Amino acid sequence: SVSSALTVPSNTAMAGTNLIHLTYDGNFQLETEATVVTCRVINSRSGTSTDNPHCDGAGKDPNNVPMELELDATTMHPQGGGQPTDIGTIVPLSTNYDAEGASPLYSATIDKVTIDRATGIVTHAGSVTLKTDNIARSEQNFFPPNSKVYVSVNQQNRRLLSECHTAGHVVDAAMAKCEKLLPPTKGYHFMDGPYVEYRGSIDVKEREQFLEKLKVAYQELIEQDIP
């Protein structure tokens, strides 16, 4: 894709994004204030949309502009570790509001959050929605550097993904309860078909009986309602 950075970061290299959800107090925090590092507006793209599906609408709707945001901190969980991306919204604070001060002139809907493992920098990808007729797309400096924003995670989506991820760990505990300590090798916590993989095998003749035993152990763990 070809992008144009309508906002330009400082010359100082950006430190890794502060991932609030990794802190003890921020584990269940869904909202935070943050500072904009840079905003890149996507002007055009080429090739397939596999890696950047949020860019599909580039140029089709003048009031929905594909973009990428980097912030100094976020409550949004980047896709990785077998868990899907958080989704949510980012809105400007205090400035860039309409004449009544009731709603922002623009806001960002985030549908993909990724992290560069080498730098620790998180990218929030999605689209900026403009308030009709109030902003000229070509003139607006969306989310200028050092401006303050408010990050909000979609609570319903986060809870669903968190419960799915936790279910994978319950499977691990149920395996241990059944005295099958096979090393886990992969966890896939996406809603299209979550699973946990283990290294090793169970004899074909024992599998059906073991599966029933595992189901019982899993249900017992759920009924314990361990906090």
Side-chain angles (χ1 to χ4, degrees):
S1 63
V2 179
S3 64
S4 173
L6 296 190
T7 60
V8 182
S10 64
N11 292 328
T12 304
M14 177 184 174
T17 309
N18 179 18
L19 299 174
I20 294 175
H21 67 274
L22 294 182
T23 65
Y24 181 81
D25 292 332
N27 189 33
F28 298 100
Q29 185 175 332
L30 299 176
E31 300 175 335
T32 188
E33 291 187 14
T35 301
V36 174
V37 175
T38 188
C39 174
R40 293 182 293 274
V41 174
I42 310 299
N43 289 329
S44 63
R45 58 173 286 108
S46 60
T48 63
S49 60
T50 303
D51 57 345
N52 285 299
H54 60 277
C55 293
D56 282 350
K60 294 181 181 179
D61 185 347
N63 292 317
N64 285 279
V65 185
M67 57 97 240
E68 295 177 340
L69 262 174
E70 293 174 4
L71 311 174
D72 69 330
T74 188
T75 49
M76 293 192 180
H77 190 295
Q79 183 164 308
Q83 180 154 326
T85 176
D86 268 336
I87 57 176
T89 59
I90 299 176
V91 298
L93 286 176
S94 70
T95 59
N96 295 309
Y97 274 64
D98 60 18
E100 292 77 26
S103 60
L105 296 179
Y106 61 86
S107 61
T109 299
I110 304 302
D111 52 35
K112 186 67 173 291
V113 185
T114 57
I115 185 170
D116 184 323
R117 297 296 175 183
T119 63
I121 295 174
V122 171
T123 298
H124 305 76
S127 61
V128 176
T129 300
L130 312 182
K131 195 164 186 178
T132 308
D133 299 330
N134 279 355
I135 299 178
R137 168 178 174 164
S138 60
E139 298 174 359
Q140 177 61 29
N141 188 20
F142 304 116
F143 297 107
N146 301 316
S147 63
K148 299 296 182 180
V149 296
Y150 201 71
V151 182
S152 299
V153 175
N154 182 302
Q155 182 175 358
Q156 183 177 2
N157 183 71
R158 165 69 77 81
R159 179 168 183 171
L160 181 64
L161 296 179
S162 296
E163 289 178 350
C164 182
H165 195 143
T166 299
H169 292 290
V170 177
V171 172
D172 287 338
M175 289 284 285
K177 191 176 177 68
C178 293
E179 299 182 344
K180 282 290 183 183
L181 301 178
L182 301 179
T185 58
K186 181 180 180 180
Y188 182 83
H189 308 296
F190 289 69
M191 299 309 299
D192 61 344
Y195 61 86
V196 182
E197 286 185 0
Y198 297 90
R199 182 182 300 113
S201 63
I202 297 173
D203 189 277
V204 175
K205 297 178 181 179
E206 300 176 4
R207 288 179 187 176
E208 185 174 348
Q209 182 180 0
F210 174 75
L211 183 58
E212 292 304 314
K213 184 178 179 181
L214 183 65
K215 289 178 180 178
V216 172
Y218 188 93
Q219 188 61 38
E220 288 176 348
L221 288 168
I222 292 176
E223 291 173 356
Q224 289 179 29
D225 195 23
I226 301 172

